[in-house]
Amino acid sequence: MDLEYSERHRALQQEIREFAAKEGHRSPKTGGGRKRPDLKTLDWQALLLERGYFARTIPKKYGGYGAAPDVVEAAIIADEFSKAGLYPGIMNQGISMLVPTLLEVGREDQKEQWVETTIRGKTIWCQGYSEPGSGSDLAAARTRAELDGDHFVVNGQKIWTSSAHYADMMFLLCRTEPDKGKHDGLSYLLLSMKTPGIEVRPLTTMTGRAEFNETFFTDVRVPAAQIVMGRGDGWRVANITLKYERMLLGDPNKLMHRLNSIQNLMERTEIDGARIIELSEYRDRLLKLQGEVLAWKYHGMRLLTDLANDEDSGVRRLIVKYVGTMLGHRLSSLAVDVLSAAGLSYDPQGEDKDDDEATTWHIDYMYDVGLIIGGGTSQIQKNIIAERGLGLPREPKPKEQAAAR
């Protein structure tokens, strides 16, 4: 087996290194708070799109670079950006979840209207999925949308709506067919957050930031044409989005970048005159995590290969959210421990300013706890892996357990 890069791939590697040396000073800071992209980030995003280092395989007519899928190219871009400490591009719900959903099942006019403006970071999306009282049972959504002429009229409530306080648009899962079954009665709508009747109430988390929100809908009118696929197809579309959400939450490139950042931190942080990297108890933790992150990187390449070949990854895809979020939290935990007393500093500056290093790591550490819970808790993910991936018996429901007694 030849594991050497081809001449074409070596040329791409050298191209990115030259790009990093010439343009790296323009890169925004990585990690920390989640906020609306500022002008510096938007300019950097435009540069990455122009060079093909972001949205590389999205067709040109939708604002992408138009390259053919190539797993090795994707790995080289991610590796070189991580090594250079460059911001890899905006990874939000619109870009990483809605765009691939539209490319897979959206209408042509929807792709033309939303893909380019979204990948450029100019249109920010939030996700209207979770509701109070329904927990991880997404299909139990009670927010309803009734057809009135050429509009749906939406009433209900969503919760844990990330970015709703600054988002332009929402992709919403709601019940349009109340007479049909739990799953068959759902539809997937695209709506402007400026529509009259929408109220957003921030929920402050332990980071001190209001990154999540409650969202209320009172007679919100949404054009009927803004439905993805058709009435009653919402469950299918929602699960396509969830597929990409899990890939976002378990992104190996983000974990590799975090690993490199921690190694750099350990090399320049000292305790009693000794660099942290030289202390075995810390170095051993780093090496163990390095092995896991590398394994995760190669697993990610396998998933990209499946995607390029239009193959179902099965259980390989089902483990992504669980493993990725747990590994991410252990990485940020190591960074907080490395900072030691210096890491006790926590002074978030707000969405419009950069935080200091200790605060940035603490935000990641605390936010990662939320990622372990959100998008389907780790316990739910284990059930999905066991039942759907491995074919094990379904977990008994409380009523079934009581009857068995």
Side-chain angles (χ1 to χ4, degrees):
M1 180 182 294
D2 183 7
L3 297 179
E4 294 295 322
Y5 285 149
S6 68
E7 183 177 342
R8 177 172 63 87
H9 289 130
R10 286 197 299 273
L12 175 62
Q13 186 180 52
Q14 182 59 32
E15 173 193 317
I16 298 172
R17 290 176 179 177
E18 292 173 0
F19 170 82
K22 181 180 178 180
E23 306 287 358
H25 65 283
R26 299 172 60 181
S27 172
K29 180 182 177 182
T30 62
R34 283 73 187 165
K35 57 186 180 181
R36 189 177 184 94
D38 55 19
L39 182 58
K40 181 176 183 178
T41 303
L42 293 177
D43 288 344
W44 180 254
Q45 185 80 354
L47 180 60
L48 297 187
L49 288 167
E50 175 188 337
R51 299 296 296 267
Y53 302 148
F54 193 90
R56 189 172 181 84
T57 61
I58 290 179
K60 286 186 177 181
K61 65 178 179 177
Y62 305 134
Y65 190 70
D70 187 311
V71 174
V72 179
E73 283 186 354
I76 289 172
I77 293 170
D79 281 349
E80 294 304 319
F81 269 62
S82 178
K83 290 174 183 176
L86 300 182
Y87 182 70
I90 303 169
M91 300 290 183
N92 59 24
Q93 293 174 320
I95 291 173
S96 302
M97 296 161 58
L98 178 69
V99 164
T101 299
L102 291 180
L103 290 173
E104 188 168 333
V105 296
R107 296 193 313 268
E108 183 63 24
D109 64 296
Q110 292 171 336
K111 298 174 189 177
E112 292 175 353
Q113 182 177 7
W114 297 117
V115 172
E116 181 168 7
T117 184
T118 300
I119 63 176
R120 287 189 173 275
K122 295 180 178 179
T123 299
I124 304 300
W125 295 77
C126 59
Q127 178 187 32
Y129 272 22
S130 298
E131 296 190 6
S134 60
S136 296
D137 187 2
L138 183 60
R142 290 176 293 178
T143 295
R144 65 189 186 277
E146 299 176 353
L147 192 62
D148 178 24
D150 58 358
H151 282 73
F152 285 106
V153 180
V154 181
N155 285 278
Q157 179 186 356
K158 297 291 179 177
I159 197 167
W160 311 121
T161 321
S162 304
S163 310
H165 55 303
Y166 61 79
D168 305 297
M169 299 288 296
M170 172 186 282
F171 46 99
L172 171 73
L173 187 65
C174 55
R175 192 161 299 283
T176 59
E177 322 299 312
D179 297 332
K180 292 188 177 180
K182 182 177 178 181
H183 297 82
D184 296 334
L186 299 169
S187 294
Y188 191 106
L189 303 180
L190 309 178
L191 66 148
S192 169
M193 292 298 288
K194 296 180 175 63
T195 309
I198 297 178
E199 180 186 0
V200 176
R201 299 179 188 172
L203 294 169
T204 302
T205 69
M206 62 182 171
T207 67
R209 299 172 183 262
E211 293 164 330
F212 300 103
N213 305 272
E214 292 180 285
T215 309
F216 297 85
F217 306 88
T218 304
D219 295 332
V220 176
R221 298 185 67 84
V222 182
Q226 291 178 197
I227 190 170
V228 179
M229 295 190 69
R231 294 180 61 167
D233 291 326
W235 183 246
R236 177 184 172 189
V237 183
N239 275 280
I240 292 172
T241 302
L242 286 174
K243 172 179 67 176
Y244 294 110
E245 179 181 35
R246 291 176 184 128
M247 293 175 69
L248 169 65
L249 295 177
D251 183 9
N253 298 324
K254 180 180 73 173
L255 298 180
M256 181 61 71
H257 180 82
R258 187 175 289 189
L259 177 75
N260 291 336
S261 298
I262 293 171
Q263 181 172 339
N264 176 271
L265 177 66
M266 292 173 64
E267 288 172 348
R268 55 186 171 80
T269 304
E270 296 184 355
I271 294 181
D272 296 331
R275 293 188 306 156
I276 293 287
I277 195 73
E278 297 169 354
L279 303 178
S280 60
E281 59 268 34
Y282 287 100
R283 188 173 62 247
D284 288 350
R285 283 176 66 183
L286 178 68
L287 288 171
K288 182 177 180 180
L289 287 169
Q290 183 184 55
E292 294 184 53
V293 171
L294 285 171
W296 199 237
K297 169 188 170 182
Y298 298 127
H299 182 75
M301 293 177 69
R302 181 165 59 174
L303 294 177
L304 286 176
T305 302
D306 290 343
L307 193 61
N309 293 333
D310 197 24
E311 296 178 1
D312 183 6
S313 300
V315 71
R316 296 193 297 275
R317 173 173 52 82
L318 294 178
I319 69 173
V320 168
K321 195 272 178 180
Y322 171 71
V323 177
T325 54
M326 297 294 287
L327 184 52
H329 186 251
R330 288 167 52 215
L331 283 163
S332 54
S333 175
L334 174 58
V336 170
D337 289 347
V338 166
L339 286 165
S340 189
L344 296 176
S345 171
Y346 186 68
D347 186 24
Q349 297 299 304
E351 292 184 349
D352 58 341
K353 297 179 183 179
D354 288 335
D355 298 307
D356 59 51
E357 186 173 45
T359 301
T360 297
W361 278 115
H362 272 291
I363 288 174
D364 281 342
Y365 174 79
M366 290 186 282
Y367 194 82
D368 286 344
V369 175
L371 294 183
I372 290 172
I373 299 170
T377 67
S378 289
Q379 290 74 19
I380 292 293
Q381 295 302 316
K382 288 179 180 179
N383 283 347
I384 291 172
I385 293 165
E387 296 168 15
R388 301 183 193 173
L390 302 177
L392 296 178
R394 184 173 61 85
E395 181 185 39
K397 302 299 181 184
K399 291 182 179 178
E400 294 172 353
Q401 292 175 329
R405 297 193 189 100

PDB file of all heavy atoms in Angstrom, residues 359-388:
ATOM      1  N   THR A 359     -10.436  32.245  29.406  1.00  0.00           N
ATOM      2  CA  THR A 359     -11.888  32.334  29.236  1.00  0.00           C
ATOM      3  C   THR A 359     -12.347  31.537  28.027  1.00  0.00           C
ATOM      4  O   THR A 359     -13.371  30.846  28.070  1.00  0.00           O
ATOM      5  CB  THR A 359     -12.316  33.809  29.104  1.00  0.00           C
ATOM      6  OG1 THR A 359     -11.915  34.535  30.276  1.00  0.00           O
ATOM      7  CG2 THR A 359     -13.828  33.918  28.923  1.00  0.00           C
ATOM      8  N   THR A 360     -11.592  31.612  26.940  1.00  0.00           N
ATOM      9  CA  THR A 360     -11.939  30.879  25.722  1.00  0.00           C
ATOM     10  C   THR A 360     -11.997  29.382  25.985  1.00  0.00           C
ATOM     11  O   THR A 360     -12.938  28.699  25.564  1.00  0.00           O
ATOM     12  CB  THR A 360     -10.912  31.168  24.615  1.00  0.00           C
ATOM     13  OG1 THR A 360     -10.959  32.557  24.278  1.00  0.00           O
ATOM     14  CG2 THR A 360     -11.209  30.347  23.371  1.00  0.00           C
ATOM     15  N   TRP A 361     -11.001  28.851  26.705  1.00  0.00           N
ATOM     16  CA  TRP A 361     -10.985  27.415  27.003  1.00  0.00           C
ATOM     17  C   TRP A 361     -12.122  27.037  27.945  1.00  0.00           C
ATOM     18  O   TRP A 361     -12.734  25.977  27.796  1.00  0.00           O
ATOM     19  CB  TRP A 361      -9.652  26.994  27.600  1.00  0.00           C
ATOM     20  CG  TRP A 361      -8.582  26.764  26.581  1.00  0.00           C
ATOM     21  CD1 TRP A 361      -7.430  27.463  26.405  1.00  0.00           C
ATOM     22  CD2 TRP A 361      -8.571  25.745  25.565  1.00  0.00           C
ATOM     23  NE1 TRP A 361      -6.704  26.965  25.354  1.00  0.00           N
ATOM     24  CE2 TRP A 361      -7.382  25.897  24.819  1.00  0.00           C
ATOM     25  CE3 TRP A 361      -9.450  24.720  25.218  1.00  0.00           C
ATOM     26  CZ2 TRP A 361      -7.038  25.070  23.755  1.00  0.00           C
ATOM     27  CZ3 TRP A 361      -9.121  23.894  24.156  1.00  0.00           C
ATOM     28  CH2 TRP A 361      -7.937  24.059  23.433  1.00  0.00           C
ATOM     29  N   HIS A 362     -12.416  27.898  28.916  1.00  0.00           N
ATOM     30  CA  HIS A 362     -13.512  27.601  29.833  1.00  0.00           C
ATOM     31  C   HIS A 362     -14.853  27.592  29.108  1.00  0.00           C
ATOM     32  O   HIS A 362     -15.725  26.765  29.410  1.00  0.00           O
ATOM     33  CB  HIS A 362     -13.538  28.617  30.983  1.00  0.00           C
ATOM     34  CG  HIS A 362     -12.687  28.226  32.148  1.00  0.00           C
ATOM     35  ND1 HIS A 362     -12.996  27.163  32.960  1.00  0.00           N
ATOM     36  CD2 HIS A 362     -11.525  28.747  32.625  1.00  0.00           C
ATOM     37  CE1 HIS A 362     -12.072  27.047  33.903  1.00  0.00           C
ATOM     38  NE2 HIS A 362     -11.162  27.986  33.716  1.00  0.00           N
ATOM     39  N   ILE A 363     -15.041  28.523  28.163  1.00  0.00           N
ATOM     40  CA  ILE A 363     -16.282  28.542  27.388  1.00  0.00           C
ATOM     41  C   ILE A 363     -16.423  27.245  26.608  1.00  0.00           C
ATOM     42  O   ILE A 363     -17.500  26.628  26.579  1.00  0.00           O
ATOM     43  CB  ILE A 363     -16.315  29.763  26.450  1.00  0.00           C
ATOM     44  CG1 ILE A 363     -16.527  31.039  27.270  1.00  0.00           C
ATOM     45  CG2 ILE A 363     -17.411  29.620  25.403  1.00  0.00           C
ATOM     46  CD1 ILE A 363     -16.434  32.313  26.456  1.00  0.00           C
ATOM     47  N   ASP A 364     -15.320  26.804  25.968  1.00  0.00           N
ATOM     48  CA  ASP A 364     -15.365  25.538  25.236  1.00  0.00           C
ATOM     49  C   ASP A 364     -15.691  24.373  26.174  1.00  0.00           C
ATOM     50  O   ASP A 364     -16.493  23.501  25.842  1.00  0.00           O
ATOM     51  CB  ASP A 364     -14.015  25.275  24.543  1.00  0.00           C
ATOM     52  CG  ASP A 364     -13.862  26.080  23.262  1.00  0.00           C
ATOM     53  OD1 ASP A 364     -14.878  26.556  22.741  1.00  0.00           O
ATOM     54  OD2 ASP A 364     -12.724  26.235  22.800  1.00  0.00           O
ATOM     55  N   TYR A 365     -15.057  24.367  27.349  1.00  0.00           N
ATOM     56  CA  TYR A 365     -15.262  23.283  28.314  1.00  0.00           C
ATOM     57  C   TYR A 365     -16.723  23.201  28.748  1.00  0.00           C
ATOM     58  O   TYR A 365     -17.332  22.115  28.762  1.00  0.00           O
ATOM     59  CB  TYR A 365     -14.360  23.516  29.525  1.00  0.00           C
ATOM     60  CG  TYR A 365     -14.568  22.546  30.669  1.00  0.00           C
ATOM     61  CD1 TYR A 365     -14.020  21.272  30.631  1.00  0.00           C
ATOM     62  CD2 TYR A 365     -15.313  22.918  31.791  1.00  0.00           C
ATOM     63  CE1 TYR A 365     -14.219  20.380  31.680  1.00  0.00           C
ATOM     64  CE2 TYR A 365     -15.510  22.034  32.838  1.00  0.00           C
ATOM     65  CZ  TYR A 365     -14.963  20.768  32.773  1.00  0.00           C
ATOM     66  OH  TYR A 365     -15.172  19.886  33.816  1.00  0.00           O
ATOM     67  N   MET A 366     -17.307  24.349  29.079  1.00  0.00           N
ATOM     68  CA  MET A 366     -18.698  24.353  29.539  1.00  0.00           C
ATOM     69  C   MET A 366     -19.677  24.124  28.393  1.00  0.00           C
ATOM     70  O   MET A 366     -20.686  23.433  28.538  1.00  0.00           O
ATOM     71  CB  MET A 366     -19.000  25.667  30.263  1.00  0.00           C
ATOM     72  CG  MET A 366     -18.298  25.794  31.600  1.00  0.00           C
ATOM     73  SD  MET A 366     -18.772  27.270  32.539  1.00  0.00           S
ATOM     74  CE  MET A 366     -17.823  28.524  31.683  1.00  0.00           C
ATOM     75  N   TYR A 367     -19.369  24.700  27.232  1.00  0.00           N
ATOM     76  CA  TYR A 367     -20.247  24.518  26.083  1.00  0.00           C
ATOM     77  C   TYR A 367     -20.274  23.051  25.656  1.00  0.00           C
ATOM     78  O   TYR A 367     -21.305  22.536  25.213  1.00  0.00           O
ATOM     79  CB  TYR A 367     -19.773  25.391  24.922  1.00  0.00           C
ATOM     80  CG  TYR A 367     -20.784  25.535  23.810  1.00  0.00           C
ATOM     81  CD1 TYR A 367     -21.821  26.462  23.906  1.00  0.00           C
ATOM     82  CD2 TYR A 367     -20.717  24.766  22.657  1.00  0.00           C
ATOM     83  CE1 TYR A 367     -22.758  26.612  22.895  1.00  0.00           C
ATOM     84  CE2 TYR A 367     -21.645  24.901  21.640  1.00  0.00           C
ATOM     85  CZ  TYR A 367     -22.661  25.825  21.762  1.00  0.00           C
ATOM     86  OH  TYR A 367     -23.587  25.957  20.767  1.00  0.00           O
ATOM     87  N   ASP A 368     -19.131  22.358  25.806  1.00  0.00           N
ATOM     88  CA  ASP A 368     -19.062  20.949  25.436  1.00  0.00           C
ATOM     89  C   ASP A 368     -19.996  20.091  26.275  1.00  0.00           C
ATOM     90  O   ASP A 368     -20.493  19.069  25.802  1.00  0.00           O
ATOM     91  CB  ASP A 368     -17.623  20.434  25.578  1.00  0.00           C
ATOM     92  CG  ASP A 368     -16.719  20.930  24.465  1.00  0.00           C
ATOM     93  OD1 ASP A 368     -17.252  21.407  23.439  1.00  0.00           O
ATOM     94  OD2 ASP A 368     -15.486  20.870  24.608  1.00  0.00           O
ATOM     95  N   VAL A 369     -20.207  20.493  27.525  1.00  0.00           N
ATOM     96  CA  VAL A 369     -21.183  19.766  28.354  1.00  0.00           C
ATOM     97  C   VAL A 369     -22.556  19.832  27.698  1.00  0.00           C
ATOM     98  O   VAL A 369     -23.290  18.838  27.624  1.00  0.00           O
ATOM     99  CB  VAL A 369     -21.235  20.344  29.784  1.00  0.00           C
ATOM    100  CG1 VAL A 369     -22.339  19.666  30.588  1.00  0.00           C
ATOM    101  CG2 VAL A 369     -19.890  20.170  30.478  1.00  0.00           C
ATOM    102  N   GLY A 370     -22.911  21.018  27.191  1.00  0.00           N
ATOM    103  CA  GLY A 370     -24.182  21.180  26.508  1.00  0.00           C
ATOM    104  C   GLY A 370     -24.274  20.340  25.252  1.00  0.00           C
ATOM    105  O   GLY A 370     -25.342  19.796  24.930  1.00  0.00           O
ATOM    106  N   LEU A 371     -23.160  20.208  24.512  1.00  0.00           N
ATOM    107  CA  LEU A 371     -23.168  19.405  23.296  1.00  0.00           C
ATOM    108  C   LEU A 371     -23.367  17.924  23.601  1.00  0.00           C
ATOM    109  O   LEU A 371     -23.960  17.190  22.796  1.00  0.00           O
ATOM    110  CB  LEU A 371     -21.855  19.598  22.525  1.00  0.00           C
ATOM    111  CG  LEU A 371     -21.600  20.996  21.957  1.00  0.00           C
ATOM    112  CD1 LEU A 371     -20.294  21.014  21.168  1.00  0.00           C
ATOM    113  CD2 LEU A 371     -22.764  21.456  21.088  1.00  0.00           C
ATOM    114  N   ILE A 372     -22.886  17.475  24.751  1.00  0.00           N
ATOM    115  CA  ILE A 372     -23.092  16.083  25.157  1.00  0.00           C
ATOM    116  C   ILE A 372     -24.583  15.816  25.392  1.00  0.00           C
ATOM    117  O   ILE A 372     -25.087  14.723  25.115  1.00  0.00           O
ATOM    118  CB  ILE A 372     -22.274  15.774  26.429  1.00  0.00           C
ATOM    119  CG1 ILE A 372     -20.768  15.751  26.081  1.00  0.00           C
ATOM    120  CG2 ILE A 372     -22.693  14.451  27.052  1.00  0.00           C
ATOM    121  CD1 ILE A 372     -19.870  15.649  27.290  1.00  0.00           C
ATOM    122  N   ILE A 373     -25.296  16.856  25.845  1.00  0.00           N
ATOM    123  CA  ILE A 373     -26.723  16.717  26.123  1.00  0.00           C
ATOM    124  C   ILE A 373     -27.554  17.015  24.876  1.00  0.00           C
ATOM    125  O   ILE A 373     -28.482  16.292  24.538  1.00  0.00           O
ATOM    126  CB  ILE A 373     -27.137  17.676  27.261  1.00  0.00           C
ATOM    127  CG1 ILE A 373     -26.367  17.338  28.539  1.00  0.00           C
ATOM    128  CG2 ILE A 373     -28.637  17.627  27.503  1.00  0.00           C
ATOM    129  CD1 ILE A 373     -26.509  18.362  29.639  1.00  0.00           C
ATOM    130  N   GLY A 374     -27.236  18.106  24.181  1.00  0.00           N
ATOM    131  CA  GLY A 374     -28.026  18.545  23.037  1.00  0.00           C
ATOM    132  C   GLY A 374     -27.869  17.626  21.837  1.00  0.00           C
ATOM    133  O   GLY A 374     -26.900  16.880  21.713  1.00  0.00           O
ATOM    134  N   GLY A 375     -28.860  17.713  20.922  1.00  0.00           N
ATOM    135  CA  GLY A 375     -28.801  16.892  19.710  1.00  0.00           C
ATOM    136  C   GLY A 375     -29.005  15.416  19.991  1.00  0.00           C
ATOM    137  O   GLY A 375     -28.600  14.567  19.193  1.00  0.00           O
ATOM    138  N   GLY A 376     -29.624  15.105  21.130  1.00  0.00           N
ATOM    139  CA  GLY A 376     -29.774  13.710  21.540  1.00  0.00           C
ATOM    140  C   GLY A 376     -28.691  13.369  22.543  1.00  0.00           C
ATOM    141  O   GLY A 376     -27.506  13.324  22.197  1.00  0.00           O
ATOM    142  N   THR A 377     -29.024  13.182  23.804  1.00  0.00           N
ATOM    143  CA  THR A 377     -28.041  12.947  24.860  1.00  0.00           C
ATOM    144  C   THR A 377     -27.183  11.721  24.559  1.00  0.00           C
ATOM    145  O   THR A 377     -27.526  10.886  23.717  1.00  0.00           O
ATOM    146  CB  THR A 377     -28.734  12.730  26.209  1.00  0.00           C
ATOM    147  OG1 THR A 377     -29.469  11.489  26.141  1.00  0.00           O
ATOM    148  CG2 THR A 377     -29.684  13.866  26.538  1.00  0.00           C
ATOM    149  N   SER A 378     -26.056  11.627  25.269  1.00  0.00           N
ATOM    150  CA  SER A 378     -25.184  10.469  25.075  1.00  0.00           C
ATOM    151  C   SER A 378     -25.914   9.165  25.364  1.00  0.00           C
ATOM    152  O   SER A 378     -25.667   8.144  24.718  1.00  0.00           O
ATOM    153  CB  SER A 378     -23.943  10.593  25.976  1.00  0.00           C
ATOM    154  OG  SER A 378     -23.086  11.616  25.489  1.00  0.00           O
ATOM    155  N   GLN A 379     -26.829   9.193  26.346  1.00  0.00           N
ATOM    156  CA  GLN A 379     -27.592   7.985  26.656  1.00  0.00           C
ATOM    157  C   GLN A 379     -28.505   7.601  25.487  1.00  0.00           C
ATOM    158  O   GLN A 379     -28.615   6.423  25.122  1.00  0.00           O
ATOM    159  CB  GLN A 379     -28.427   8.211  27.928  1.00  0.00           C
ATOM    160  CG  GLN A 379     -27.614   8.310  29.216  1.00  0.00           C
ATOM    161  CD  GLN A 379     -26.877   9.622  29.359  1.00  0.00           C
ATOM    162  OE1 GLN A 379     -27.213  10.604  28.708  1.00  0.00           O
ATOM    163  NE2 GLN A 379     -25.858   9.642  30.208  1.00  0.00           N
ATOM    164  N   ILE A 380     -29.153   8.614  24.897  1.00  0.00           N
ATOM    165  CA  ILE A 380     -29.990   8.372  23.729  1.00  0.00           C
ATOM    166  C   ILE A 380     -29.136   7.858  22.571  1.00  0.00           C
ATOM    167  O   ILE A 380     -29.528   6.932  21.837  1.00  0.00           O
ATOM    168  CB  ILE A 380     -30.731   9.656  23.322  1.00  0.00           C
ATOM    169  CG1 ILE A 380     -31.770  10.046  24.384  1.00  0.00           C
ATOM    170  CG2 ILE A 380     -31.395   9.501  21.954  1.00  0.00           C
ATOM    171  CD1 ILE A 380     -32.922   9.082  24.510  1.00  0.00           C
ATOM    172  N   GLN A 381     -27.967   8.448  22.394  1.00  0.00           N
ATOM    173  CA  GLN A 381     -27.075   8.020  21.304  1.00  0.00           C
ATOM    174  C   GLN A 381     -26.668   6.557  21.473  1.00  0.00           C
ATOM    175  O   GLN A 381     -26.578   5.803  20.493  1.00  0.00           O
ATOM    176  CB  GLN A 381     -25.830   8.910  21.255  1.00  0.00           C
ATOM    177  CG  GLN A 381     -26.108  10.361  20.915  1.00  0.00           C
ATOM    178  CD  GLN A 381     -26.804  10.533  19.584  1.00  0.00           C
ATOM    179  OE1 GLN A 381     -26.448   9.908  18.591  1.00  0.00           O
ATOM    180  NE2 GLN A 381     -27.818  11.394  19.551  1.00  0.00           N
ATOM    181  N   LYS A 382     -26.417   6.135  22.708  1.00  0.00           N
ATOM    182  CA  LYS A 382     -26.063   4.734  22.949  1.00  0.00           C
ATOM    183  C   LYS A 382     -27.211   3.803  22.554  1.00  0.00           C
ATOM    184  O   LYS A 382     -26.994   2.725  21.987  1.00  0.00           O
ATOM    185  CB  LYS A 382     -25.701   4.526  24.427  1.00  0.00           C
ATOM    186  CG  LYS A 382     -24.364   5.134  24.829  1.00  0.00           C
ATOM    187  CD  LYS A 382     -24.113   4.891  26.318  1.00  0.00           C
ATOM    188  CE  LYS A 382     -22.794   5.474  26.770  1.00  0.00           C
ATOM    189  NZ  LYS A 382     -22.568   5.257  28.226  1.00  0.00           N
ATOM    190  N   ASN A 383     -28.437   4.229  22.871  1.00  0.00           N
ATOM    191  CA  ASN A 383     -29.597   3.417  22.477  1.00  0.00           C
ATOM    192  C   ASN A 383     -29.711   3.326  20.960  1.00  0.00           C
ATOM    193  O   ASN A 383     -30.016   2.257  20.408  1.00  0.00           O
ATOM    194  CB  ASN A 383     -30.884   4.025  23.047  1.00  0.00           C
ATOM    195  CG  ASN A 383     -31.050   3.730  24.531  1.00  0.00           C
ATOM    196  OD1 ASN A 383     -30.360   2.887  25.085  1.00  0.00           O
ATOM    197  ND2 ASN A 383     -31.959   4.448  25.167  1.00  0.00           N
ATOM    198  N   ILE A 384     -29.483   4.454  20.272  1.00  0.00           N
ATOM    199  CA  ILE A 384     -29.555   4.462  18.813  1.00  0.00           C
ATOM    200  C   ILE A 384     -28.503   3.533  18.220  1.00  0.00           C
ATOM    201  O   ILE A 384     -28.782   2.745  17.300  1.00  0.00           O
ATOM    202  CB  ILE A 384     -29.367   5.899  18.283  1.00  0.00           C
ATOM    203  CG1 ILE A 384     -30.574   6.755  18.657  1.00  0.00           C
ATOM    204  CG2 ILE A 384     -29.169   5.898  16.761  1.00  0.00           C
ATOM    205  CD1 ILE A 384     -30.403   8.235  18.337  1.00  0.00           C
ATOM    206  N   ILE A 385     -27.284   3.614  18.751  1.00  0.00           N
ATOM    207  CA  ILE A 385     -26.199   2.754  18.261  1.00  0.00           C
ATOM    208  C   ILE A 385     -26.547   1.285  18.489  1.00  0.00           C
ATOM    209  O   ILE A 385     -26.375   0.434  17.598  1.00  0.00           O
ATOM    210  CB  ILE A 385     -24.880   3.116  18.977  1.00  0.00           C
ATOM    211  CG1 ILE A 385     -24.429   4.524  18.575  1.00  0.00           C
ATOM    212  CG2 ILE A 385     -23.790   2.100  18.637  1.00  0.00           C
ATOM    213  CD1 ILE A 385     -23.355   5.099  19.482  1.00  0.00           C
ATOM    214  N   ALA A 386     -27.055   0.985  19.684  1.00  0.00           N
ATOM    215  CA  ALA A 386     -27.362  -0.406  20.026  1.00  0.00           C
ATOM    216  C   ALA A 386     -28.513  -0.955  19.193  1.00  0.00           C
ATOM    217  O   ALA A 386     -28.416  -2.057  18.636  1.00  0.00           O
ATOM    218  CB  ALA A 386     -27.683  -0.514  21.515  1.00  0.00           C
ATOM    219  N   GLU A 387     -29.602  -0.182  19.102  1.00  0.00           N
ATOM    220  CA  GLU A 387     -30.815  -0.696  18.471  1.00  0.00           C
ATOM    221  C   GLU A 387     -30.765  -0.618  16.950  1.00  0.00           C
ATOM    222  O   GLU A 387     -31.052  -1.601  16.254  1.00  0.00           O
ATOM    223  CB  GLU A 387     -32.029   0.075  19.002  1.00  0.00           C
ATOM    224  CG  GLU A 387     -32.256  -0.144  20.507  1.00  0.00           C
ATOM    225  CD  GLU A 387     -33.261   0.826  21.099  1.00  0.00           C
ATOM    226  OE1 GLU A 387     -33.996   1.472  20.313  1.00  0.00           O
ATOM    227  OE2 GLU A 387     -33.320   0.959  22.341  1.00  0.00           O
ATOM    228  N   ARG A 388     -30.371   0.541  16.412  1.00  0.00           N
ATOM    229  CA  ARG A 388     -30.370   0.704  14.956  1.00  0.00           C
ATOM    230  C   ARG A 388     -29.088   0.192  14.313  1.00  0.00           C
ATOM    231  O   ARG A 388     -29.108  -0.337  13.205  1.00  0.00           O
ATOM    232  CB  ARG A 388     -30.558   2.175  14.595  1.00  0.00           C
ATOM    233  CG  ARG A 388     -31.853   2.779  15.121  1.00  0.00           C
ATOM    234  CD  ARG A 388     -31.983   4.217  14.654  1.00  0.00           C
ATOM    235  NE  ARG A 388     -33.036   4.929  15.373  1.00  0.00           N
ATOM    236  CZ  ARG A 388     -33.272   6.238  15.256  1.00  0.00           C
ATOM    237  NH1 ARG A 388     -32.538   6.967  14.437  1.00  0.00           N
ATOM    238  NH2 ARG A 388     -34.241   6.806  15.956  1.00  0.00           N
TER     239      ARG A 388
END
